[in-house]
Amino acid sequence: MIVVGCSKGVHVAPRIAKLARKEYSELLVKKFPDGETDLRFTCDVRKKVVVLVQSFFGDINDALMEVFLAAYTAKDLGAKRVVLMAPYFPYFRQDTRFHPGECVSLPILGKFVDACLSEIYVMDPHLHREKNLKHVFRVRGHKLTANELVRDYIKKHIKNPIIIGPDWESYKWARATAEMIGCESAILKKTRFSSRHVEVALDHDVDLSKHNVVIVDDIISTGHTLLETIKLLRKDLGAKKITCIGIHGVFAENALAKLKKVKVSVITTNTIPNASAEIDVAKEFAERIK
Ligand code: R5P
């Protein structure tokens, strides 16, 4: 077996390989002058299981293309099987047609994955209307979660926490983490009007004034979900110190700066590298390899 760091996976891939005690190599990725992807394996992949580590941020579509090209190339060079380990896998929220004529991206992406890869590991996929990875990929899909890492972070750094989930889907992260810690939690109701316009509400009273409030969600993208939640928690529920924990810090459109401006602490895992990535997920992937 060999672990191969793709261009958006190199922040975590060497550590995954080290912890799993496997050989490591970096994929050489360049661009042709016209913008096409030019990639090369610098290791021998013949007869090996090749584990590609790639996350998806920034130029997401380039990162996808890289995986598809790399997977076919590895097979072409004689690899036994090609597996993708994706700390963050994109398009999970595009699982339905929200507007007439709109592309439903997730199942299409699923077909590409099936065509190229033998197996896929995804950390905390945003499974909402699609309940299971089996509904998305025909190849074996494995769901990993950073919940235990988040639990450990909260236990170590935050005294007397109460955990808030900003929408009902967040119970898989917020409530699950609260249950592991044994602390109180509350889940808000969110209405999404557009990518940048959401409203949140809570249908019962909780007194947050005596707790350190921790908002836990899977994805922080534009940050509007958190900004609205912070407003509500401060204005109506007496929240004072607030920490926001996201598994995937996408931070589109300067979201991190917007959150810092409202004076909250922001912590994420390193599924996507960013200035708030304090929780390392490498161990979770390495354990699966072992
Ligand atoms: C959606 O349901 C997710 O769990 C997140 O709440 C959402 O993706 C966050 O997006 P944004 O930061 O753009 O509000």
Side-chain angles (χ1 to χ4, degrees):
M1 176 183 287
I2 184 159
V3 176
V4 175
C6 299
S7 67
K8 303 278 174 159
V10 285
H11 63 289
V12 69
R15 212 170 127 67
I16 293 176
K18 192 168 173 216
L19 291 171
R21 298 211 169 98
K22 297 291 175 199
E23 192 189 341
Y24 176 72
S25 173
E26 200 172 305
L27 191 68
L28 201 63
V29 187
K30 293 192 285 185
K31 287 273 187 193
F32 288 112
D34 58 3
E36 291 172 357
T37 299
D38 175 15
L39 62 81
R40 193 166 2 132
F41 284 89
T42 54
C43 56
D44 184 6
V45 298
R46 261 175 312 153
K47 298 199 175 111
K48 290 183 187 158
V49 174
V50 174
V51 179
L52 300 174
V53 179
Q54 175 79 313
S55 199
F56 299 88
F57 52 91
D59 292 329
I60 289 170
N61 298 331
D62 266 0
L64 283 168
M65 187 55 132
E66 186 183 316
V67 167
F68 300 146
L69 294 175
Y72 269 109
T73 308
K75 281 197 249 173
D76 195 29
L77 294 171
K80 207 155 64 176
R81 287 176 345 107
V82 187
V83 177
L84 173 64
M85 290 202 152
Y88 176 65
F89 193 86
Y91 285 107
F92 265 99
R93 292 177 295 170
Q94 286 308 120
D95 59 352
T96 192
R97 182 164 289 122
F98 296 100
H99 307 287
E102 192 177 46
C103 161
V104 186
S105 315
L106 183 61
I108 299 173
L109 221 57
K111 289 189 174 69
F112 283 111
V113 166
D114 293 340
C116 304
L117 296 153
S118 315
E119 220 171 314
I120 180 167
Y121 290 74
V122 185
M123 172 134 294
D124 285 305
H126 185 83
L127 290 166
H128 178 188
R129 286 156 287 261
E130 296 295 355
K131 299 279 171 251
N132 198 300
L133 287 184
K134 278 193 194 134
H135 301 153
V136 183
F137 309 114
R138 294 179 99 152
V139 293
R140 281 183 71 193
H142 307 266
K143 194 165 70 125
L144 279 72
T145 179
N147 277 352
E148 289 184 6
L149 301 173
V150 171
R151 171 203 63 194
D152 294 347
Y153 180 90
I154 295 174
K155 278 176 110 175
K156 187 163 172 205
H157 296 278
I158 303 171
K159 294 219 160 47
N160 189 25
I162 180 167
I163 298 186
I164 306 291
D167 53 34
W168 77 265
E169 301 135 67
S170 66
Y171 77 90
K172 284 175 263 177
W173 295 277
R175 181 147 296 151
T177 306
E179 278 169 6
M180 283 192 283
I181 295 173
C183 69
E184 243 187 280
S185 67
I187 303 293
L188 309 187
K189 188 173 175 299
K190 176 168 90 181
T191 313
R192 183 174 282 286
F193 299 97
S194 72
S195 299
R196 297 173 189 81
H197 181 195
V198 299
E199 281 176 12
V200 291
L202 184 61
D203 59 9
H204 61 280
D205 260 0
V206 277
D207 181 8
L208 300 179
S209 62
K210 293 183 184 64
H211 290 277
N212 283 312
V213 177
V214 188
I215 308 172
V216 175
D217 202 2
D218 59 339
I219 300 171
I220 310 175
S221 182
T222 65
H224 285 288
T225 298
L226 290 182
L227 290 167
E228 287 306 310
T229 303
I230 292 159
K231 231 190 272 170
L232 176 92
L233 301 185
R234 279 189 177 144
K235 197 164 129 276
D236 297 352
L237 303 168
K240 293 199 175 76
K241 187 170 176 351
I242 300 180
T243 305
C244 302
I245 302 187
I247 307 288
H248 307 297
V250 173
F251 297 125
E253 302 176 347
N254 244 345
L256 186 54
K258 288 178 196 159
L259 287 163
K260 294 269 178 196
K261 214 167 160 191
V262 297
K263 308 233 172 326
V264 291
S265 311
V266 184
I267 309 294
T268 68
T269 75
N270 61 349
T271 58
I272 296 172
N274 67 72
S276 288
E278 285 192 34
I279 302 172
D280 182 20
V281 298
K283 196 175 105 215
E284 302 297 315
F285 286 97
E287 265 161 23
R288 294 303 185 102
I289 289 178
K290 281 202 267 180

PDB file of all heavy atoms in Angstrom, residues 93 126 128 166-167 169-170 173 190 192 195 198 217-226, ligand 1:
ATOM      1  N   ARG A  93     -24.292  19.004  -0.334  1.00  0.00           N
ATOM      2  CA  ARG A  93     -25.521  19.789  -0.103  1.00  0.00           C
ATOM      3  C   ARG A  93     -26.349  19.928  -1.378  1.00  0.00           C
ATOM      4  O   ARG A  93     -27.495  20.328  -1.322  1.00  0.00           O
ATOM      5  CB  ARG A  93     -25.154  21.167   0.484  1.00  0.00           C
ATOM      6  CG  ARG A  93     -24.593  21.049   1.910  1.00  0.00           C
ATOM      7  CD  ARG A  93     -24.165  22.378   2.478  1.00  0.00           C
ATOM      8  NE  ARG A  93     -23.054  22.954   1.741  1.00  0.00           N
ATOM      9  CZ  ARG A  93     -22.603  24.184   1.903  1.00  0.00           C
ATOM     10  NH1 ARG A  93     -23.177  24.969   2.784  1.00  0.00           N
ATOM     11  NH2 ARG A  93     -21.579  24.618   1.218  1.00  0.00           N
ATOM     12  N   HIS A 126     -22.018  15.628   4.544  1.00  0.00           N
ATOM     13  CA  HIS A 126     -23.281  16.284   4.886  1.00  0.00           C
ATOM     14  C   HIS A 126     -24.439  15.449   4.330  1.00  0.00           C
ATOM     15  O   HIS A 126     -24.988  15.755   3.270  1.00  0.00           O
ATOM     16  CB  HIS A 126     -23.309  17.706   4.318  1.00  0.00           C
ATOM     17  CG  HIS A 126     -24.535  18.452   4.740  1.00  0.00           C
ATOM     18  ND1 HIS A 126     -24.638  19.095   5.948  1.00  0.00           N
ATOM     19  CD2 HIS A 126     -25.725  18.624   4.137  1.00  0.00           C
ATOM     20  CE1 HIS A 126     -25.828  19.634   6.055  1.00  0.00           C
ATOM     21  NE2 HIS A 126     -26.523  19.359   4.963  1.00  0.00           N
ATOM     22  N   HIS A 128     -27.990  14.576   4.307  1.00  0.00           N
ATOM     23  CA  HIS A 128     -29.208  15.253   4.733  1.00  0.00           C
ATOM     24  C   HIS A 128     -30.381  14.478   4.165  1.00  0.00           C
ATOM     25  O   HIS A 128     -30.878  13.541   4.749  1.00  0.00           O
ATOM     26  CB  HIS A 128     -29.135  16.703   4.240  1.00  0.00           C
ATOM     27  CG  HIS A 128     -30.334  17.526   4.546  1.00  0.00           C
ATOM     28  ND1 HIS A 128     -30.512  18.780   4.042  1.00  0.00           N
ATOM     29  CD2 HIS A 128     -31.407  17.278   5.282  1.00  0.00           C
ATOM     30  CE1 HIS A 128     -31.647  19.261   4.464  1.00  0.00           C
ATOM     31  NE2 HIS A 128     -32.219  18.370   5.211  1.00  0.00           N
ATOM     32  N   PRO A 166     -27.221  24.650  15.195  1.00  0.00           N
ATOM     33  CA  PRO A 166     -27.969  25.738  14.542  1.00  0.00           C
ATOM     34  C   PRO A 166     -29.122  25.305  13.643  1.00  0.00           C
ATOM     35  O   PRO A 166     -29.912  26.139  13.223  1.00  0.00           O
ATOM     36  CB  PRO A 166     -26.901  26.464  13.726  1.00  0.00           C
ATOM     37  CG  PRO A 166     -25.834  25.474  13.516  1.00  0.00           C
ATOM     38  CD  PRO A 166     -25.870  24.491  14.645  1.00  0.00           C
ATOM     39  N   ASP A 167     -29.218  24.022  13.323  1.00  0.00           N
ATOM     40  CA  ASP A 167     -30.366  23.547  12.536  1.00  0.00           C
ATOM     41  C   ASP A 167     -30.578  22.065  12.827  1.00  0.00           C
ATOM     42  O   ASP A 167     -29.717  21.429  13.434  1.00  0.00           O
ATOM     43  CB  ASP A 167     -30.168  23.780  11.027  1.00  0.00           C
ATOM     44  CG  ASP A 167     -28.859  23.206  10.518  1.00  0.00           C
ATOM     45  OD1 ASP A 167     -28.413  22.165  11.031  1.00  0.00           O
ATOM     46  OD2 ASP A 167     -28.266  23.807   9.605  1.00  0.00           O
ATOM     47  N   GLU A 169     -30.412  19.311  11.233  1.00  0.00           N
ATOM     48  CA  GLU A 169     -29.431  18.312  10.789  1.00  0.00           C
ATOM     49  C   GLU A 169     -28.194  18.300  11.680  1.00  0.00           C
ATOM     50  O   GLU A 169     -27.478  17.297  11.730  1.00  0.00           O
ATOM     51  CB  GLU A 169     -28.932  18.621   9.376  1.00  0.00           C
ATOM     52  CG  GLU A 169     -29.976  18.675   8.323  1.00  0.00           C
ATOM     53  CD  GLU A 169     -29.721  19.898   7.471  1.00  0.00           C
ATOM     54  OE1 GLU A 169     -28.702  19.935   6.772  1.00  0.00           O
ATOM     55  OE2 GLU A 169     -30.539  20.823   7.541  1.00  0.00           O
ATOM     56  N   SER A 170     -27.960  19.400  12.368  1.00  0.00           N
ATOM     57  CA  SER A 170     -26.734  19.488  13.165  1.00  0.00           C
ATOM     58  C   SER A 170     -26.787  18.613  14.413  1.00  0.00           C
ATOM     59  O   SER A 170     -25.792  18.508  15.121  1.00  0.00           O
ATOM     60  CB  SER A 170     -26.459  20.942  13.555  1.00  0.00           C
ATOM     61  OG  SER A 170     -27.455  21.393  14.426  1.00  0.00           O
ATOM     62  N   TRP A 173     -24.006  16.223  14.979  1.00  0.00           N
ATOM     63  CA  TRP A 173     -22.737  16.698  15.511  1.00  0.00           C
ATOM     64  C   TRP A 173     -22.966  17.320  16.891  1.00  0.00           C
ATOM     65  O   TRP A 173     -22.297  16.958  17.840  1.00  0.00           O
ATOM     66  CB  TRP A 173     -22.118  17.707  14.540  1.00  0.00           C
ATOM     67  CG  TRP A 173     -21.778  17.037  13.250  1.00  0.00           C
ATOM     68  CD1 TRP A 173     -20.638  16.323  12.998  1.00  0.00           C
ATOM     69  CD2 TRP A 173     -22.605  16.935  12.071  1.00  0.00           C
ATOM     70  NE1 TRP A 173     -20.710  15.802  11.726  1.00  0.00           N
ATOM     71  CE2 TRP A 173     -21.880  16.158  11.128  1.00  0.00           C
ATOM     72  CE3 TRP A 173     -23.856  17.415  11.708  1.00  0.00           C
ATOM     73  CZ2 TRP A 173     -22.376  15.860   9.861  1.00  0.00           C
ATOM     74  CZ3 TRP A 173     -24.351  17.115  10.435  1.00  0.00           C
ATOM     75  CH2 TRP A 173     -23.622  16.347   9.536  1.00  0.00           C
ATOM     76  N   LYS A 190     -33.777  26.166  11.557  1.00  0.00           N
ATOM     77  CA  LYS A 190     -33.256  27.134  10.582  1.00  0.00           C
ATOM     78  C   LYS A 190     -34.116  27.135   9.320  1.00  0.00           C
ATOM     79  O   LYS A 190     -34.530  26.090   8.848  1.00  0.00           O
ATOM     80  CB  LYS A 190     -31.823  26.755  10.210  1.00  0.00           C
ATOM     81  CG  LYS A 190     -31.191  27.630   9.138  1.00  0.00           C
ATOM     82  CD  LYS A 190     -29.690  27.402   9.028  1.00  0.00           C
ATOM     83  CE  LYS A 190     -29.336  26.321   8.047  1.00  0.00           C
ATOM     84  NZ  LYS A 190     -27.912  26.063   7.925  1.00  0.00           N
ATOM     85  N   ARG A 192     -33.780  28.376   5.457  1.00  0.00           N
ATOM     86  CA  ARG A 192     -32.826  28.928   4.494  1.00  0.00           C
ATOM     87  C   ARG A 192     -33.592  29.534   3.328  1.00  0.00           C
ATOM     88  O   ARG A 192     -34.400  28.869   2.690  1.00  0.00           O
ATOM     89  CB  ARG A 192     -31.873  27.841   3.998  1.00  0.00           C
ATOM     90  CG  ARG A 192     -30.821  28.371   3.052  1.00  0.00           C
ATOM     91  CD  ARG A 192     -29.792  27.324   2.674  1.00  0.00           C
ATOM     92  NE  ARG A 192     -28.772  27.061   3.688  1.00  0.00           N
ATOM     93  CZ  ARG A 192     -27.765  27.873   3.983  1.00  0.00           C
ATOM     94  NH1 ARG A 192     -27.655  29.040   3.363  1.00  0.00           N
ATOM     95  NH2 ARG A 192     -26.878  27.538   4.896  1.00  0.00           N
ATOM     96  N   SER A 195     -28.450  31.131  -0.375  1.00  0.00           N
ATOM     97  CA  SER A 195     -27.111  30.766   0.134  1.00  0.00           C
ATOM     98  C   SER A 195     -26.659  31.706   1.244  1.00  0.00           C
ATOM     99  O   SER A 195     -25.912  31.321   2.138  1.00  0.00           O
ATOM    100  CB  SER A 195     -26.076  30.851  -0.990  1.00  0.00           C
ATOM    101  OG  SER A 195     -26.392  29.966  -2.016  1.00  0.00           O
ATOM    102  N   VAL A 198     -30.348  33.200   5.923  1.00  0.00           N
ATOM    103  CA  VAL A 198     -31.003  32.181   6.757  1.00  0.00           C
ATOM    104  C   VAL A 198     -31.608  32.861   7.983  1.00  0.00           C
ATOM    105  O   VAL A 198     -31.202  33.962   8.358  1.00  0.00           O
ATOM    106  CB  VAL A 198     -30.001  31.097   7.240  1.00  0.00           C
ATOM    107  CG1 VAL A 198     -29.372  30.345   6.092  1.00  0.00           C
ATOM    108  CG2 VAL A 198     -28.916  31.687   8.132  1.00  0.00           C
ATOM    109  N   ASP A 217     -21.427  22.693  14.393  1.00  0.00           N
ATOM    110  CA  ASP A 217     -22.065  22.400  13.105  1.00  0.00           C
ATOM    111  C   ASP A 217     -21.060  21.663  12.223  1.00  0.00           C
ATOM    112  O   ASP A 217     -19.857  21.676  12.518  1.00  0.00           O
ATOM    113  CB  ASP A 217     -22.513  23.707  12.439  1.00  0.00           C
ATOM    114  CG  ASP A 217     -23.633  23.480  11.412  1.00  0.00           C
ATOM    115  OD1 ASP A 217     -24.077  22.329  11.240  1.00  0.00           O
ATOM    116  OD2 ASP A 217     -24.066  24.464  10.785  1.00  0.00           O
ATOM    117  N   ASP A 218     -21.548  21.073  11.147  1.00  0.00           N
ATOM    118  CA  ASP A 218     -20.607  20.341  10.292  1.00  0.00           C
ATOM    119  C   ASP A 218     -19.822  21.283   9.374  1.00  0.00           C
ATOM    120  O   ASP A 218     -18.605  21.198   9.290  1.00  0.00           O
ATOM    121  CB  ASP A 218     -21.309  19.233   9.483  1.00  0.00           C
ATOM    122  CG  ASP A 218     -22.412  19.747   8.574  1.00  0.00           C
ATOM    123  OD1 ASP A 218     -22.933  20.845   8.819  1.00  0.00           O
ATOM    124  OD2 ASP A 218     -22.758  19.033   7.610  1.00  0.00           O
ATOM    125  N   ILE A 219     -20.537  22.189   8.692  1.00  0.00           N
ATOM    126  CA  ILE A 219     -19.865  23.045   7.709  1.00  0.00           C
ATOM    127  C   ILE A 219     -20.015  24.522   8.100  1.00  0.00           C
ATOM    128  O   ILE A 219     -21.106  24.957   8.474  1.00  0.00           O
ATOM    129  CB  ILE A 219     -20.502  22.847   6.306  1.00  0.00           C
ATOM    130  CG1 ILE A 219     -20.364  21.385   5.860  1.00  0.00           C
ATOM    131  CG2 ILE A 219     -19.876  23.775   5.268  1.00  0.00           C
ATOM    132  CD1 ILE A 219     -21.146  21.048   4.586  1.00  0.00           C
ATOM    133  N   ILE A 220     -18.913  25.261   8.023  1.00  0.00           N
ATOM    134  CA  ILE A 220     -19.029  26.725   8.090  1.00  0.00           C
ATOM    135  C   ILE A 220     -18.656  27.216   6.699  1.00  0.00           C
ATOM    136  O   ILE A 220     -17.506  27.128   6.290  1.00  0.00           O
ATOM    137  CB  ILE A 220     -18.086  27.358   9.135  1.00  0.00           C
ATOM    138  CG1 ILE A 220     -18.217  26.663  10.488  1.00  0.00           C
ATOM    139  CG2 ILE A 220     -18.374  28.856   9.259  1.00  0.00           C
ATOM    140  CD1 ILE A 220     -17.218  27.166  11.542  1.00  0.00           C
ATOM    141  N   SER A 221     -19.657  27.690   5.963  1.00  0.00           N
ATOM    142  CA  SER A 221     -19.375  28.121   4.592  1.00  0.00           C
ATOM    143  C   SER A 221     -19.368  29.640   4.528  1.00  0.00           C
ATOM    144  O   SER A 221     -18.345  30.274   4.788  1.00  0.00           O
ATOM    145  CB  SER A 221     -20.394  27.501   3.631  1.00  0.00           C
ATOM    146  OG  SER A 221     -20.101  27.865   2.309  1.00  0.00           O
ATOM    147  N   THR A 222     -20.505  30.261   4.263  1.00  0.00           N
ATOM    148  CA  THR A 222     -20.522  31.737   4.262  1.00  0.00           C
ATOM    149  C   THR A 222     -20.525  32.287   5.687  1.00  0.00           C
ATOM    150  O   THR A 222     -20.349  33.481   5.889  1.00  0.00           O
ATOM    151  CB  THR A 222     -21.790  32.276   3.563  1.00  0.00           C
ATOM    152  OG1 THR A 222     -22.934  31.879   4.344  1.00  0.00           O
ATOM    153  CG2 THR A 222     -21.916  31.744   2.157  1.00  0.00           C
ATOM    154  N   GLY A 223     -20.816  31.435   6.656  1.00  0.00           N
ATOM    155  CA  GLY A 223     -20.864  31.860   8.050  1.00  0.00           C
ATOM    156  C   GLY A 223     -22.208  32.446   8.466  1.00  0.00           C
ATOM    157  O   GLY A 223     -22.431  32.737   9.644  1.00  0.00           O
ATOM    158  N   HIS A 224     -23.150  32.586   7.534  1.00  0.00           N
ATOM    159  CA  HIS A 224     -24.418  33.237   7.878  1.00  0.00           C
ATOM    160  C   HIS A 224     -25.232  32.423   8.883  1.00  0.00           C
ATOM    161  O   HIS A 224     -25.907  33.004   9.734  1.00  0.00           O
ATOM    162  CB  HIS A 224     -25.232  33.544   6.620  1.00  0.00           C
ATOM    163  CG  HIS A 224     -24.665  34.708   5.867  1.00  0.00           C
ATOM    164  ND1 HIS A 224     -24.767  36.001   6.323  1.00  0.00           N
ATOM    165  CD2 HIS A 224     -23.944  34.770   4.732  1.00  0.00           C
ATOM    166  CE1 HIS A 224     -24.144  36.813   5.485  1.00  0.00           C
ATOM    167  NE2 HIS A 224     -23.629  36.088   4.513  1.00  0.00           N
ATOM    168  N   THR A 225     -25.154  31.111   8.795  1.00  0.00           N
ATOM    169  CA  THR A 225     -25.856  30.276   9.783  1.00  0.00           C
ATOM    170  C   THR A 225     -25.349  30.619  11.185  1.00  0.00           C
ATOM    171  O   THR A 225     -26.134  30.827  12.118  1.00  0.00           O
ATOM    172  CB  THR A 225     -25.615  28.775   9.475  1.00  0.00           C
ATOM    173  OG1 THR A 225     -26.165  28.495   8.192  1.00  0.00           O
ATOM    174  CG2 THR A 225     -26.238  27.880  10.522  1.00  0.00           C
ATOM    175  N   LEU A 226     -24.042  30.708  11.328  1.00  0.00           N
ATOM    176  CA  LEU A 226     -23.480  31.002  12.652  1.00  0.00           C
ATOM    177  C   LEU A 226     -23.763  32.436  13.072  1.00  0.00           C
ATOM    178  O   LEU A 226     -24.121  32.691  14.229  1.00  0.00           O
ATOM    179  CB  LEU A 226     -21.972  30.739  12.654  1.00  0.00           C
ATOM    180  CG  LEU A 226     -21.561  29.266  12.576  1.00  0.00           C
ATOM    181  CD1 LEU A 226     -20.044  29.137  12.642  1.00  0.00           C
ATOM    182  CD2 LEU A 226     -22.189  28.456  13.704  1.00  0.00           C
TER     183      LEU A 226
HETATM  184  C1  R5P B   1     -26.245  23.039   6.354  1.00  0.00           C
HETATM  185  O1  R5P B   1     -27.273  22.518   6.641  1.00  0.00           O
HETATM  186  C2  R5P B   1     -24.977  22.882   7.122  1.00  0.00           C
HETATM  187  O2  R5P B   1     -25.122  22.048   8.198  1.00  0.00           O
HETATM  188  C3  R5P B   1     -24.451  24.228   7.565  1.00  0.00           C
HETATM  189  O3  R5P B   1     -25.276  24.755   8.568  1.00  0.00           O
HETATM  190  C4  R5P B   1     -24.381  25.179   6.431  1.00  0.00           C
HETATM  191  O4  R5P B   1     -23.836  24.559   5.312  1.00  0.00           O
HETATM  192  C5  R5P B   1     -23.600  26.410   6.767  1.00  0.00           C
HETATM  193  O5  R5P B   1     -23.574  27.252   5.674  1.00  0.00           O
HETATM  194  P1  R5P B   1     -23.344  28.799   5.846  1.00  0.00           P
HETATM  195  O6  R5P B   1     -22.104  28.961   6.668  1.00  0.00           O
HETATM  196  O7  R5P B   1     -23.164  29.292   4.438  1.00  0.00           O
HETATM  197  O8  R5P B   1     -24.546  29.382   6.477  1.00  0.00           O
END
